[in-house]
Amino acid sequence: MNQSAETNEKLTAKRGRPSISAEKRETTRARITSVARTLFQQDGYANVSVRRIAKEIGCAPMTLYSYYDAKIDILRSLWGDVFAGLLEELKPVSNVSDHEAIYKMGLVYVDYWLRHPEEYRLVFMAKGVTQSQVNVFLDNPEILSGYEIITEAISAIAPNDDAETLKTKLDFFLSALHGIAHNHITMSGYPWCSPEEQIKYAVMAISSENEAEGS
Amino acid sequence: MNQSAETNEKLTAKRGRPSISAEKRETTRARITSVARTLFQQDGYANVSVRRIAKEIGCAPMTLYSYYDAKIDILRSLWGDVFAGLLEELKPVSNVSDHEAIYKMGLVYVDYWLRHPEEYRLVFMAKGVTQSQVNVFLDNPEILSGYEIITEAISAIAPNDDAETLKTKLDFFLSALHGIAHNHITMSGYPWCSPEEQIKYAVMAISSENEAEGS
DNA sequence: TTATTTTAATATACGCGTATATTTTATCAA
DNA sequence: TTGATAAAATATACGCGTATATTAAAATAA
């Protein structure tokens, strides 16, 4: 049997340089995005070249293309990480569905960006990115799932709303949350009312219609 | 006096190659945008290189930089031409201020894009343009003036609206008009209701609030 | 007519992202 | 141990937009 196992090994053994392991591949990808993130946040996406990233890592520029399809994909991966972190913080407050939960989601959402202003800039303020490059990123179901959590919570308190109305409420809610986050991040010197207070209005706005409809 | 004139000429005469005349300069700029427009509409902005435009014109690539600061400025100039044409058609229907005038402006606005679908694609669907490149274009007062005409007409039928409300109505009205134009241009195979009919709803939407407020 | 000057036009070069070609490395077969 | 093989990594090349250097053209001064 041992000899059979050996024979099996020999039958399946492949000549040539073996592929790197999935683990090694992910380690390298993480190294690339880590270095790129630092440089992008420091100098801006457009001002950081592939050659510069490679030099910082200590490999050839074309090596990066073994791990990412294009320069923009390194940025998209960073965006994915940022949204994964956001989703991770949204989930724990999404298991309840009432106004309070929506308020808490709003809090978590805004607080996330306030605690990660550099990530906010990386995602929403990157220079040198075209609209179609962003769209490819947004086509990823994982990215949209975070917004679906909020939609589900809004749906729970307005069960009679059709899909279009829910989409409008979600879009408004997110617009308001982004406005709050954006103002605090980009014009931090201005004495804004606290996010806690402002988010209450956002929740009220998407709740009052429900109440009006219910009347 | 003749001698004085000669002396004046001599005093103001300048050695060296004279600058090209303003007329010649504009002629060349028009030639550049004309050739570029054809190529951009045929192959898309991103797929048309500066070298290719120059070759079509019969000059060196760097010659183009004597007439435009950058490749994107050739496109911006084309956008400006398109909006100038639109403005030219909007003005005649803007001298009256009532619902009918707003409706007619809507008709003119949508009809303009339907008659110039290639221009529509050039302005709103150019690939390879970043958001900041578009923003520089929009900062031009001449571009915004076309929208101000519509704002003024809306203001005339809702004199009590504050600036923010007017801006919201304008934005909605333009969103609706663009939606109508966009659908007809990009999904022309679908049997859309006529723009004439759809625009009525857009006008109603920004009028009904006024009536509600007036009640 | 030639020299000088100034501008227009062109030539060359650069760094960019990435396509393609080549070399290096890590394995197995003989 | 050497040869063969296949993947990883690197080297080279390409066209891009545009910065910089150089040449050509058109004028005036001498």
Side-chain angles (χ1 to χ4, degrees):
Chain A
M1 214 46 72
N2 184 31
Q3 192 178 11
S4 286
E6 274 185 54
T7 301
N8 278 341
E9 276 184 40
K10 283 169 179 169
L11 280 175
T12 59
K14 203 174 166 202
R15 294 167 87 179
R17 183 171 177 168
S19 300
I20 59 169
S21 66
E23 185 182 5
K24 176 69 165 73
R25 180 178 170 73
E26 283 313 309
T27 297
T28 303
R29 279 173 59 94
R31 175 101 174 98
I32 293 169
T33 51
S34 175
V35 168
R37 170 206 295 264
T38 299
L39 294 175
F40 289 163
Q41 287 177 341
Q42 177 178 302
D43 297 330
Y45 173 74
N47 295 329
V48 174
S49 65
V50 171
R51 285 169 176 75
R52 173 113 170 273
I53 298 171
K55 190 172 184 181
E56 290 285 329
I57 290 170
C59 69
M62 291 321 301
T63 301
L64 303 183
Y65 290 90
S66 300
Y67 297 91
Y68 288 95
D69 292 337
K71 182 189 178 189
I72 188 64
D73 288 309
I74 300 175
L75 183 62
R76 286 196 188 114
S77 178
L78 288 171
W79 286 349
D81 292 345
V82 172
F83 276 94
L86 172 61
L87 185 60
E88 202 137 319
E89 298 196 16
L90 274 179
K91 278 178 173 173
V93 294
S94 67
N95 54 358
V96 176
S97 296
D98 57 10
H99 297 73
E100 186 66 11
I102 294 175
Y103 174 70
K104 279 178 173 170
M105 279 189 207
L107 278 181
V108 166
Y109 192 90
V110 172
D111 186 60
Y112 182 85
W113 296 120
L114 297 190
R115 282 186 284 107
H116 302 96
E118 288 308 319
E119 278 68 21
Y120 181 86
R121 293 181 208 278
L122 197 68
V123 175
F124 299 107
M125 299 171 72
K127 290 293 178 59
V129 180
T130 67
Q131 193 57 51
S132 59
Q133 288 173 324
V134 174
N135 288 344
V136 170
F137 172 74
L138 293 173
D139 283 341
N140 182 353
E142 283 183 40
I143 304 307
L144 300 175
S145 67
Y147 296 115
E148 280 174 20
I149 285 181
I150 302 177
T151 304
E152 282 161 20
I154 296 174
S155 174
I157 65 169
N160 295 328
D161 280 352
D162 55 41
E164 192 173 327
T165 303
L166 288 174
K167 180 67 166 66
T168 303
K169 287 183 174 180
L170 170 71
D171 288 356
F172 165 76
F173 193 51
L174 289 172
S175 295
L177 296 180
H178 269 282
I180 295 168
H182 193 87
N183 285 342
H184 278 83
I185 290 171
T186 60
M187 292 182 278
S188 55
Y190 183 85
W192 302 103
C193 291
S194 73
E196 288 82 1
E197 287 302 307
Q198 296 191 50
I199 296 169
K200 283 177 182 174
Y201 283 86
V203 176
M204 279 167 59
I206 62 176
S207 303
S208 64
E209 279 176 79
N210 177 54
E211 287 171 358
E213 282 165 355
S215 294
Chain B
M1 214 47 73
N2 185 29
Q3 194 178 9
S4 287
E6 273 185 54
T7 302
N8 279 341
E9 277 184 39
K10 281 171 181 170
L11 279 175
T12 60
K14 203 173 166 206
R15 296 166 84 178
R17 183 172 176 170
S19 298
I20 60 169
S21 66
E23 184 181 7
K24 176 66 165 76
R25 181 179 169 73
E26 283 313 310
T27 299
T28 304
R29 280 172 59 93
R31 175 101 174 98
I32 292 168
T33 52
S34 175
V35 169
R37 170 206 295 262
T38 300
L39 295 175
F40 289 161
Q41 287 179 341
Q42 178 178 300
D43 297 330
Y45 172 74
N47 296 327
V48 175
S49 64
V50 171
R51 285 167 176 76
R52 172 114 171 274
I53 298 171
K55 189 172 182 180
E56 290 285 329
I57 290 170
C59 68
M62 292 319 302
T63 300
L64 303 183
Y65 290 89
S66 301
Y67 297 90
Y68 288 96
D69 290 337
K71 183 189 176 189
I72 186 65
D73 288 307
I74 300 175
L75 184 60
R76 285 196 188 113
S77 178
L78 288 171
W79 285 349
D81 292 343
V82 172
F83 276 93
L86 172 60
L87 184 60
E88 202 135 320
E89 297 196 17
L90 275 179
K91 276 177 174 174
V93 296
S94 66
N95 54 356
V96 176
S97 294
D98 55 13
H99 297 72
E100 187 65 13
I102 295 176
Y103 175 69
K104 280 177 173 169
M105 281 187 203
L107 276 182
V108 166
Y109 192 90
V110 171
D111 186 60
Y112 182 85
W113 297 122
L114 296 191
R115 282 186 284 107
H116 302 96
E118 287 308 319
E119 278 69 20
Y120 181 87
R121 292 182 208 276
L122 195 68
V123 175
F124 300 107
M125 298 170 74
K127 289 294 176 59
V129 179
T130 67
Q131 194 56 52
S132 59
Q133 286 173 326
V134 173
N135 289 342
V136 170
F137 172 74
L138 293 173
D139 282 341
N140 182 350
E142 285 183 40
I143 304 306
L144 300 176
S145 67
Y147 296 115
E148 281 173 21
I149 286 181
I150 302 177
T151 303
E152 282 161 21
I154 296 174
S155 175
I157 64 169
N160 295 328
D161 280 352
D162 56 40
E164 193 172 327
T165 302
L166 287 176
K167 181 67 166 66
T168 302
K169 287 183 174 179
L170 171 71
D171 288 356
F172 165 77
F173 191 53
L174 288 172
S175 295
L177 296 181
H178 270 283
I180 295 167
H182 192 87
N183 286 340
H184 277 85
I185 290 171
T186 59
M187 292 183 277
S188 56
Y190 182 85
W192 302 103
C193 290
S194 74
E196 288 82 0
E197 286 303 306
Q198 294 191 49
I199 295 169
K200 283 175 182 174
Y201 282 87
V203 176
M204 280 167 58
I206 62 175
S207 304
S208 63
E209 281 176 79
N210 177 56
E211 289 171 358
E213 280 165 355
S215 294

